[in-house]
Amino acid sequence: MRFLPALLAFMATAWFWSFLPAISAGETRSWAWAWLPDQGVELALRIDGLSLLFALLITGIGTLIFLYTAAYFRNDDRLPRLLTLLMLFGISMLGLVLADDAISLFVFWEGTTVTSFLLVGFDHNRRYARASALQALIITGLGGLALLAGLIILGQFAGTYRLSEMVLMGDAIRASEIYIAATIFVLLGCFTKSAQFPFHFWLPGAMAAPTPVSAYLHSATMVKAGVYLLMRMSPALGGTEIWMWSLTICGAITMIVGSVWAMKQDDLKLMLAHTTLMGLGALVMLLGSGTKEAAKAAVLFLLVHALYKAALFLSVGILDKQAGSRMVDDLGGLRGAMPLSFAIAALAALSMAGFPPFIGFIGKEVIYESALHSAASPLLVTGSALAANIMMVACAGLVAIKPYFGERRAQKNPGDPVFGLWFGPAVLAALGLWFGLFPAALGHDLLEPALGAVTGKAAEVKLYLWHGVNLPFLLSLLTFAAGIGLFLVIGAVRRALQAARVPGAEDGYDLGLAGIDRLSAWVTRSLQGGRMTVYLKLSFAVFAGVIWMAILMSNTELSRPDFRVPLFQFGVVVLILVSTVVVTFTPSRLIAICALGGVGSGIAMLFVMYGAIDVAMTQLLVEILVVVFFAIALLQLPRTPISLGFRPFDMALSVALGLGVIVTLWAVLGTELNLYLTEYFEKYSAPKALGRNIVNVILVDFRALDTLGEVSVVLIAAIAAVAVMRAGREARK
Amino acid sequence: MDFLFVLIVGLLVTSGAYLMMSGHLVRFLYGLALFSNAANLAIFVSGGLSYGAPALIAEGEKAPLEPVANALPQALVLTAIVIGFGLTVFALALAKRAFASEGTALMDDMRSAEPRAED
């Protein structure tokens, strides 16, 4: 069972491989299913050269990683959960690179974010893992929202959500006024996902995940999603100054920061995580250059990096498993005990350092060549590529030489691992050598169609191991010399870097989070302080605000009120008004109850006058009962204080509310009344319900269920009231 | 007369809100009673007023012969009155109980559900 995911991934790899001849001949394949037809959203998939390259990386490396995971967690009952999450991630990632519909792409993009969150927090009983998972989720999740905004802007402008159609409209998009906004949002999405400066700090934190997860998500696949989208959108958004400089500068900074911080690490896995930053930075920087050469270098380096980085992560996992540590100072002289592991690490590291005849060498040559002709700034691009590569050589030495040479050091008795653990990294490392020796087929079959998708036109990729003695080659020689020199003093460099306390972008993230915590604490304290009058004031204020907003936003004209009223009716009105004022201000409970009764019976009189006899009767009965109940309850409640206190705010709020109600109600009365239901009831009361009192017929016949509900409410209120009193009695006992 | 009804509703709402915000349990109850009266009256008046014409059908007739008061809002107000009554009685019981267990009628000092933060 535990090898099932690996098998499935292998079958998927084979399936994608079968597309290779057609795709490399320049064809594409696409499928589409309606998803939300009303919204114009489809589940559209499309395989072109770029998608195929990524799909092969995802499924191919996925096969090896799943195999490795099954061996790594062999005796761990969390294995099914881990494999399930990894599979879910793999599916999301595949969907992401295959999606041709922007909304589908976003859904899969978020799928990778969520599965990454779950995988980083896999050791959920460790506080650090949880914090790292949350950090990755917040950063990439916010980036995802920005990306959605960017994609929607683009989709609305282009009139289509098909990426393949958007990229054909590049000139129109670049000339339009939405270009800047769309680009910024898409870049935010890509930069957060691919951990570009200043969002780079979540990636090292994500190393809290188990090693196979880090190898798969955080080096070979997920973090490349941003790079993938940059490549995909290059024909639509690329080629402008803002695109060129933001990619070049952010990429270069990420590359340098990643390389320098890599040398600072004691933990080999963390060091690899930082070199991943270097790789991602290099890719983004190359994509910024805008030349075809640079795009070619990016596509090639993507593959190179995925191969060696996954292999190295897995080999650090082997060290961790077999030698009991991945701290650089805890390991040494393991070459004899673990010859196979050493061979794998050495092959992968040689590719990383860019030595011939590995594919890494070709990758580096091509990078130098394109950097020298960068459209942005050849000096900046070449300089930072050179500096980063020198540090890569030193880091490669650190991971492949330090643990295996010198005095023997290990935390437990080391030895080569089981097949499942060494097979994956061995294949990856061997591929690095194979592609280096035979680069032509790779270039033609796999990279050429991918490059075509990135540049938007047909391209040719001819790769050679030997380029002749030219400037890139000389730069390579310089890289080796300086890199080896740096490796010899790496211990001192590391200690020096560790001694220096440099503030990072992470401090900003921490400050931001702490600020949000404080803000929400303050909001909660001020809105929900436990004072009931505050709650009431807030509720009334919102009520008044809503009413006044409706009044001010509408343009209803109010008619002039008519005060010509018979004296008798006027007397009733005055009775109600005076009683209300008395209730409000009297300190005496007896007078207050009487005045309440006055209000109620006055209203009952109004009902009688205006043809509502039944209502008036009910009102009168209820009013009597209310007065009785009030009297009973007040016997056990304390006296009211003499003064209400002068509360200008409450007074203003009440008056605002009352005025709002008056204006609204008056405006409602000015509109035409819809008498449809009334006429219906008048017409059918006698013939159908055989009743001559229309109000009664409505209550007991037409709307009998309503009345039943009303009776139930009163009953429930009565039961609840009794229960409350009972509870009071028992509490006193 | 319409406008006087509206005026009464407005005053009932104003007084009701002012009493409810006073922070004293008994005055809160007065306010609640006034509010429920205000609601009833508002429903009634918004159906249109017609003086002295109850919605009745004379014996032997199939429908009212002359225009009568709008029956629909009356039916709604009847329901509203009864529900408001249930609410008032329950609030009275709750208030009595709250005073008995909290020992105060000042609403801001009733803090059993949300105890005061350390201050």
Side-chain angles (χ1 to χ4, degrees), chain A residues 625-626 629-630 633 637 712-727, chain B residues 25 28-29 32-33 81-99:
Chain A
L625 281 176
V626 165
F629 278 121
F630 252 98
L637 285 171
S712 322
V713 168
V714 174
L715 204 62
I716 292 168
I719 293 171
V722 170
V724 165
M725 305 296 247
R726 277 253 174 91
Chain B
L25 206 51
F28 176 88
L29 294 169
L32 196 65
I81 290 175
V82 177
I83 302 262
F85 168 67
L87 179 71
T88 308
V89 172
F90 179 65
L92 281 169
L94 206 58
K96 218 177 124 240
R97 169 86 181 88
F99 177 66

Side-chain angles (χ1 to χ4, degrees), chain A residues 23 96 132 171 327 392 474 505 575:
Chain A
I23 303 294
L96 197 165
S132 299
D171 289 331
M327 293 296 161
M392 280 311 99
L474 293 176
L575 167 72

Side-chain angles (χ1 to χ4, degrees), chain A residues 56-70:
Chain A
L56 283 173
L57 280 176
I58 293 161
T59 52
I61 296 185
T63 307
L64 301 172
I65 299 263
F66 294 162
L67 193 67
Y68 182 92
T69 310

Side-chain angles (χ1 to χ4, degrees), chain A residues 528-537 540 543 561-565 568-570 573 576-577 580-581 583-589 592-593 596 599-600 603 606-615 618-619 622-623 625-626 629-630 632-634 636-647 650-651 653-655 657-659 661-662 665-666 668-669 673 675 677-678 681-683 685-687 691-696 698-699 703 706 710 713-714 717 720-721 724-725 727-728 731-732, chain B residues 1-64 66-118:
Chain A
Q528 212 177 343
R531 290 167 63 95
M532 277 193 264
T533 51
V534 175
Y535 298 163
L536 278 168
K537 281 173 196 172
F540 284 131
F543 186 17
D562 181 6
F563 286 105
R564 283 170 299 166
V565 178
F568 170 59
Q569 294 185 31
F570 205 76
V573 172
I576 298 173
L577 295 180
T580 311
V581 174
V583 176
T584 313
F585 292 104
T586 180
S588 155
R589 291 177 294 167
I593 295 176
L596 268 184
V599 173
I603 291 175
L606 288 182
F607 285 147
V608 173
M609 283 185 250
Y610 284 89
I613 321 163
D614 308 271
V615 181
T618 318
Q619 167 80 17
V622 161
E623 210 49 54
L625 281 176
V626 165
F629 278 121
F630 252 98
I632 296 172
L634 289 195
Q636 303 199 9
L637 285 171
R639 289 171 191 284
T640 44
I642 295 192
S643 159
L644 279 174
F646 180 60
R647 293 173 288 131
D650 293 358
M651 205 171 275
L653 186 54
S654 317
V655 169
L657 189 62
L659 279 179
V661 169
I662 290 174
L665 207 52
W666 189 239
V668 167
L669 290 183
L673 202 58
L675 289 172
L677 277 176
T678 308
F681 290 132
E682 285 176 0
K683 197 171 157 195
S685 275
R692 293 186 293 114
N693 182 335
I694 303 174
V695 176
N696 280 7
I698 294 177
L699 282 173
R703 302 182 59 79
D706 265 12
E710 169 202 335
V713 168
V714 174
V724 165
M725 305 296 247
R732 269 195 298 277
Chain B
M1 189 62 191
D2 292 18
F3 190 73
L4 288 180
F5 266 76
V6 171
L7 211 61
I8 294 171
V9 174
L11 185 71
L12 287 175
V13 167
T14 308
S15 297
Y18 189 64
L19 282 166
M20 285 169 91
M21 287 188 286
S22 71
H24 193 274
L25 206 51
V26 174
R27 288 207 163 103
F28 176 88
L29 294 169
Y30 298 162
L32 196 65
L34 293 183
F35 244 69
S36 98
N37 275 323
N40 298 342
L41 214 50
I43 298 174
F44 186 70
V45 73
S46 51
L49 297 177
S50 49
Y51 187 77
L56 297 174
I57 302 170
E59 202 152 352
E61 299 295 335
K62 294 204 153 175
E66 293 163 355
V68 291
N70 193 344
L72 182 63
Q74 292 191 20
L76 295 179
V77 171
L78 265 173
T79 309
I81 290 175
V82 177
I83 302 262
F85 168 67
L87 179 71
T88 308
V89 172
F90 179 65
L92 281 169
L94 206 58
K96 218 177 124 240
R97 169 86 181 88
F99 177 66
S101 69
E102 297 278 322
T104 173
L106 296 176
M107 289 155 66
D108 283 348
D109 292 338
M110 296 182 169
R111 300 295 292 244
S112 294
E114 287 176 275
R116 211 177 289 274
E118 312 301 319

Side-chain angles (χ1 to χ4, degrees), chain A residues 455-634:
Chain A
T455 54
K457 38 191 172 286
E460 207 183 3
V461 180
K462 286 204 163 68
L463 297 178
Y464 309 101
L465 188 56
W466 176 243
H467 280 252
V469 180
N470 50 15
L471 195 50
F473 182 70
L474 293 176
L475 285 173
S476 269
L477 291 182
L478 179 61
T479 308
F480 298 144
I484 292 167
L486 185 60
F487 173 66
L488 294 176
V489 295
I490 187 103
V493 172
R494 188 170 73 221
R495 278 184 289 282
L497 282 172
Q498 283 169 349
R501 172 82 183 94
V502 194
E506 193 159 5
D507 298 339
Y509 169 85
D510 290 341
L511 276 180
L513 274 198
I516 289 172
D517 280 352
R518 273 199 298 276
L519 180 70
S520 57
W522 177 78
V523 169
T524 313
R525 264 202 314 278
S526 39
L527 290 187
Q528 212 177 343
R531 290 167 63 95
M532 277 193 264
T533 51
V534 175
Y535 298 163
L536 278 168
K537 281 173 196 172
L538 278 174
S539 309
F540 284 131
V542 170
F543 186 17
V546 169
I547 288 182
W548 277 105
M549 210 154 72
I551 293 171
L552 295 176
M553 281 167 67
S554 69
N555 45 5
T556 323
E557 280 186 28
L558 297 174
S559 57
R560 281 180 65 84
D562 181 6
F563 286 105
R564 283 170 299 166
V565 178
L567 190 63
F568 170 59
Q569 294 185 31
F570 205 76
V572 176
V573 172
V574 170
L575 167 72
I576 298 173
L577 295 180
V578 170
S579 302
T580 311
V581 174
V582 170
V583 176
T584 313
F585 292 104
T586 180
S588 155
R589 291 177 294 167
L590 192 61
I591 296 178
I593 295 176
C594 292
L596 268 184
V599 173
S601 36
I603 291 175
M605 277 189 256
L606 288 182
F607 285 147
V608 173
M609 283 185 250
Y610 284 89
I613 321 163
D614 308 271
V615 181
M617 281 189 325
T618 318
Q619 167 80 17
L620 213 54
L621 285 175
V622 161
E623 210 49 54
I624 293 169
L625 281 176
V626 165
V627 168
V628 171
F629 278 121
F630 252 98
I632 296 172
L634 289 195

